[in-house]
Amino acid sequence: MPSLARTCSRLVLAMPLLACVPPTPATPYPTTAPLEGEAAEISEPTSPTTVSFLDRSVDLSPFLEGFPYANFNPKLEHGRMFFMHTGERYVLRSLPLPQAGAAATPLEIDGAEAVCEVDWSTRSLWGVRIHPATNTLWLHADASNDEQMNLWRIDLAAPLAQRVPTQITNADYVYGWGFSEDDGHAQIAYLARTGQQAPYRTCLRLLDAQDPTREGADQEVVCDSPELTFTWSSPHFSPDGQQIYFSAQVQGDRKRVQIVEVDLRNAKNKPPRLAPITDVNVPRSSPDVLEGWAGEHLLYVSNEAGYGDIYSWSRRTRKHKRLTHHTEELLGAASLQVGSTHAVLVAHGTPAGSTLELLDASSGAVLGHAAAPGKIGILDAHDGRAVWTQQAPDKVYEANLASFSKIDGELSLHNDTLIRPSAALESELVRCVPEAVKIPSFDGTLLHAFVLRPKQPLPDGQAIAMVRSFYGGDNEWTRHDHLLCAAGITVVSPAVRGSSGFGKAFAALNDRDLGGDEIVDLFWVARWIETELGIPSARVGVYGRSHGGYATMRAMTFPPETNDRNEAYGFGFGLAEAGFSDIVAFHDATNIPDWVVLEAGDPAVPEDLARLRDRSPINHVERLAAPIFLLHGANDWRVPVAGSRAFVEAAKAAGKSVSYLEVEGQGHHVEGQERIVEAWQARFDFIESVVASTP
């Protein structure tokens, strides 16, 4: 398959040779030194988006206003692109996508219309779907950034000022949802959880999408049990609407997840039949059903063989077929129809680059493929077209529309760029020079990492480095890293054990060892920084958010005897954001207790409870030997704010150096331009106060 460049005219079936190259190739692996440059002169802040750090001013406006768009969500079936326009207020906007067969030009996203007047920086929005029959937009959202997710509806026929989202469901938490596939989209299936603490009760429910507020429009179908627990999954209807498919955990185990079938036939007369269609004896995590059917075949993703692969399952014969045999991470997949061929578009790769493949959904034969640097994602696919994205540490964002068709029996591809920042803007947003490295850890494991060097480094002898404590090593651009580089700070982003992106086995290395060897990996990365980059430990910080916020607190209070490693490292400072400090309290309060059981253990088991207490940073706060900064949203439910508050109080009581910023009205992320600027100034003030006293 020709590479997905702007225009590739012909695609020969089963032809693996690449014919053209991406229009703006990313180069995430330079080995040259970063560009030399002087820090900006000392100046007073010139705008509300300017923050100060040491002897330079850092203008956040390119990062906040230059490309103020996020969460692109195309709906090819309905010809619309939805996205969030960020800034002082977050506005959900929409604009038309090119029609099939029409010439495609870059989208004019600056002129997109507002869907409603809600400020989404004060709420969570996880997804939208169009219901054409009623001209309504359905949203998976909360009311106040607390992640009490429910389904809401907007009447698109109403004037803008009257498009107020109406809450339709009233669950404590809606995990996932899906429309039936008939022309009227008559029903919505959704998974609704009851309870503020585990054990929860979760039920599959059916909702009349045409008239959802009428009496009896919302019906319970079947509920979970200890044997099959319903959690994060989106239900999918069979083409005739007689069955629903989604994933469920066996006995609450995140590593034993099955795809289950609910048979709705005769459901009015007796409870519907619920049964797994996958082998319950085979361990797998997060299997995912793809949208759309390949005839009578359901297509799904499973990592049971080690990496994400595509499988098909026959509704008629009840047999499974493995279509791919990947040896690297699956990045995305979507089903689509190309002429008479049922196909699957698949993206897979490593931090070194990605591959996009078009497969025959019946045989798994590769119809063509294209390689690209950076990380590829697939946002949507329908009727021979797909929207795919590309990012890299030095490539901010690019969205493309690929159109496949059959011409004289051969497969043809036409690719157009829909969204891409200008070269001038991208140069302002890319403030790091990235290099991929391998860093050895205590047991010989080589950890993949990106070293992100600032284009304008701090003066000789004043260098500062920061180690990302978790979710590191991803091959994409992040605003956080490039703002640190803009301040002259070097970032090292390692994929410590337990990270995703390297298969099921590597991701499982920290199962039931939360706060153990993954933290020792951080110590070895920090020592590598001292040796290879020449930056002393007093000027090496550790930072992270969520799991990484915990890991930061843990790294700075780590008992050397953990796992009998006799390991410790004296970080100069730490920044922990939206983290948890007491694992037991976190388990009892969070909306993801099954994650805690997988990663750390079950507090109901005495042996596990003792380990959880020992791995909790709040119980070792006396070991805190360097300043730490904590940041948390007051409405966070995923990682409740009480964990940060408790750690701050304990650290103060022990006479330790701790700074804290709590952001009112915010959840697991801090959103809104003014609040983002405030948070960055607080971070930089903290780091400056630490290094000012460091020789």
Side-chain angles (χ1 to χ4, degrees):
M1 186 170 85
S3 163
L4 297 185
R6 283 187 117 180
T7 303
C8 295
S9 59
R10 301 291 288 173
L11 174 63
V12 180
L13 283 170
M15 183 70 173
L17 192 62
L18 304 184
C20 18
V21 296
T24 53
T27 53
Y29 304 105
T31 56
T32 56
L35 302 176
E36 294 294 334
E38 296 296 327
E41 295 182 359
I42 300 175
S43 62
E44 293 297 320
T46 58
S47 77
T49 59
T50 299
V51 295
S52 60
F53 178 66
L54 296 174
D55 61 349
R56 66 177 67 187
S57 294
V58 180
D59 186 6
L60 273 63
S61 61
F63 299 91
L64 300 176
E65 302 168 358
F67 190 68
Y69 313 113
N71 303 333
F72 289 100
N73 191 346
K75 303 296 181 186
L76 285 167
E77 181 180 3
H78 307 298
R80 304 296 296 183
M81 171 74 85
F82 294 90
F83 63 94
M84 196 65 72
H85 188 163
T86 61
E88 293 183 8
R89 301 177 72 255
Y90 284 18
V91 180
L92 178 63
R93 296 189 181 275
S94 169
L95 75 171
L97 286 167
Q99 296 182 354
T105 58
L107 299 178
E108 297 182 4
I109 51 180
D110 287 341
E113 64 183 32
V115 173
C116 61
E117 295 184 337
V118 171
D119 179 4
W120 290 102
S121 72
T122 66
R123 301 176 61 171
S124 301
L125 177 61
W126 286 1
V128 299
R129 293 174 186 259
I130 298 173
H131 184 222
T134 56
N135 195 21
T136 55
L137 185 72
W138 287 75
L139 308 94
H140 191 199
D142 68 10
S144 57
N145 262 337
D146 59 2
E147 292 191 12
Q148 187 169 335
M149 308 303 291
N150 269 284
L151 300 184
W152 303 66
R153 188 175 69 157
I154 292 175
D155 182 1
L156 296 177
L160 179 62
Q162 297 177 22
R163 293 184 192 170
V164 179
T166 300
Q167 185 171 346
I168 302 299
T169 64
N170 289 282
D172 289 323
Y173 196 96
V174 170
Y175 286 112
W177 56 302
F179 279 117
S180 59
E181 295 190 5
D182 61 84
D183 292 338
H185 281 167
Q187 289 184 305
I188 294 174
Y190 69 99
L191 295 172
R193 188 179 78 189
T194 301
Q196 298 293 318
Q197 289 186 332
Y200 305 114
R201 180 177 185 265
T202 303
C203 299
L204 173 68
R205 301 186 66 91
L206 283 180
L207 178 66
D208 182 351
Q210 198 81 16
D211 189 7
T213 59
R214 68 171 174 82
E215 185 177 354
D218 193 342
Q219 297 288 330
E220 181 180 294
V221 178
V222 63
C223 297
D224 64 358
S225 65
E227 290 73 30
L228 282 174
T229 307
F230 303 168
T231 58
W232 286 271
S233 180
S234 294
H236 296 260
F237 285 87
S238 60
D240 58 11
Q242 293 183 345
Q243 289 86 24
I244 297 175
Y245 302 86
F246 56 94
S247 60
Q249 298 175 359
V250 175
Q251 297 178 338
D253 189 343
R254 278 197 174 203
K255 298 175 70 173
R256 298 172 61 204
V257 187
Q258 309 299 325
I259 295 176
V260 298
E261 177 186 63
V262 176
D263 195 333
L264 301 177
R265 292 174 295 183
N266 300 319
K268 293 182 179 180
N269 301 321
K270 59 181 180 180
R273 183 177 63 87
L274 167 68
I277 66 169
T278 47
D279 188 345
V280 296
N281 296 312
V282 175
R284 63 178 67 78
S285 55
S286 302
D288 185 31
V289 177
L290 301 187
E291 292 282 355
W293 285 65
E296 51 99 16
H297 287 86
L298 177 145
L299 301 171
Y300 67 95
V301 173
S302 175
N303 66 356
E304 60 201 64
Y307 292 86
D309 281 301
I310 309 299
Y311 293 79
S312 71
W313 174 79
S314 170
R315 190 171 166 223
R316 178 178 56 84
T317 67
R318 320 290 290 182
K319 293 183 178 180
H320 299 261
K321 182 176 182 179
R322 183 179 175 186
L323 300 180
T324 63
H325 294 76
H326 290 145
T327 57
E328 56 189 24
E329 194 76 0
L330 182 73
L331 303 175
S335 62
L336 68 164
Q337 183 88 15
V338 182
S340 60
T341 302
H342 293 291
V344 187
L345 188 63
V346 178
H348 57 92
T350 71
S354 304
T355 299
L356 200 61
E357 292 179 329
L358 189 68
L359 310 176
D360 186 304
S362 298
S363 65
V366 178
L367 306 178
H369 70 171
K375 183 177 181 179
I376 285 177
I378 301 174
L379 298 186
D380 191 32
H382 178 73
D383 197 21
R385 300 196 300 166
V387 177
W388 63 283
T389 64
Q390 184 183 0
Q391 282 186 294
D394 59 352
K395 186 177 188 62
V396 177
Y397 188 85
E398 183 176 307
N400 301 278
L401 176 62
S403 302
F404 301 91
S405 59
K406 284 286 189 69
I407 299 177
D408 298 330
E410 294 182 349
L411 204 58
S412 175
L413 164 68
H414 187 89
N415 194 74
D416 296 285
T417 298
L418 295 178
I419 301 167
R420 184 174 63 209
S422 68
L425 174 59
E426 193 160 60
S427 69
E428 290 189 80
L429 297 175
V430 176
R431 304 300 296 273
C432 307
V433 178
E435 179 186 2
V437 299
K438 296 287 188 180
I439 299 176
S441 190
F442 66 94
D443 58 355
T445 299
L446 291 177
L447 306 173
H448 157 74
F450 276 113
V451 178
L452 305 171
R453 295 180 173 89
K455 290 184 177 180
Q456 292 183 312
L458 295 169
D460 290 344
Q462 299 181 28
I464 301 170
M466 295 186 66
V467 181
R468 186 186 295 180
S469 56
F470 207 79
Y471 300 126
D474 209 355
N475 196 355
E476 63 182 10
W477 184 92
T478 68
R479 179 173 66 188
H480 194 285
D481 291 343
H482 286 268
L483 273 171
L484 290 174
C485 282
I489 298 171
T490 298
V491 177
V492 180
S493 180
V496 299
R497 66 196 66 216
S499 298
S500 61
F502 303 90
K504 184 173 66 172
F506 188 81
L509 288 178
N510 71 335
D511 287 355
R512 301 180 67 81
D513 189 36
L514 183 72
D517 287 348
E518 64 179 282
I519 305 301
V520 179
D521 285 343
L522 295 175
F523 298 162
W524 281 68
V525 171
R527 295 183 188 118
W528 182 91
I529 290 173
E530 287 193 72
T531 301
E532 299 297 325
L533 305 185
I535 301 175
S537 62
R539 301 178 75 87
V540 177
V542 57
Y543 78 99
R545 64 177 316 278
S546 195
H547 181 170
Y550 160 80
T552 296
M553 288 184 274
R554 176 67 173 167
M556 298 186 69
T557 59
F558 192 79
E561 63 272 15
T562 302
N563 286 348
D564 298 323
R565 302 290 182 215
N566 193 29
E567 288 276 4
Y569 184 82
F571 286 103
F573 59 95
L575 287 82
E577 302 183 9
F580 51 94
S581 63
D582 184 327
I583 304 175
V584 178
F586 173 53
H587 171 274
D588 293 343
T590 182
N591 59 7
I592 52 171
D594 55 326
W595 180 88
V596 180
V597 173
L598 171 66
E599 297 290 325
D602 188 345
V605 178
E607 181 181 350
D608 287 1
L609 178 62
R611 183 172 64 254
L612 268 57
R613 287 173 173 163
D614 182 62
R615 298 292 177 92
S616 296
I618 198 166
N619 294 328
H620 299 284
V621 72
E622 76 283 352
R623 300 193 61 83
L624 186 64
I628 189 169
F629 170 86
L630 277 71
L631 182 148
H632 219 126
N635 287 7
D636 195 346
W637 186 18
R638 196 182 317 177
V639 182
V641 67
S644 287
R645 292 173 180 169
F647 187 87
V648 169
E649 291 304 313
K652 287 181 177 179
K656 305 299 182 179
S657 178
V658 59
S659 302
Y660 181 49
L661 175 62
E662 184 171 304
V663 188
E664 288 297 322
Q666 294 297 288
H668 199 52
H669 300 266
V670 173
E671 305 288 1
Q673 180 171 297
E674 183 177 348
R675 290 181 286 267
I676 291 172
V677 173
E678 177 189 8
W680 273 106
Q681 187 62 72
R683 292 182 185 105
F684 286 144
D685 287 346
F686 168 76
I687 298 171
E688 183 171 341
S689 70
V690 174
V691 300
S693 59
T694 301

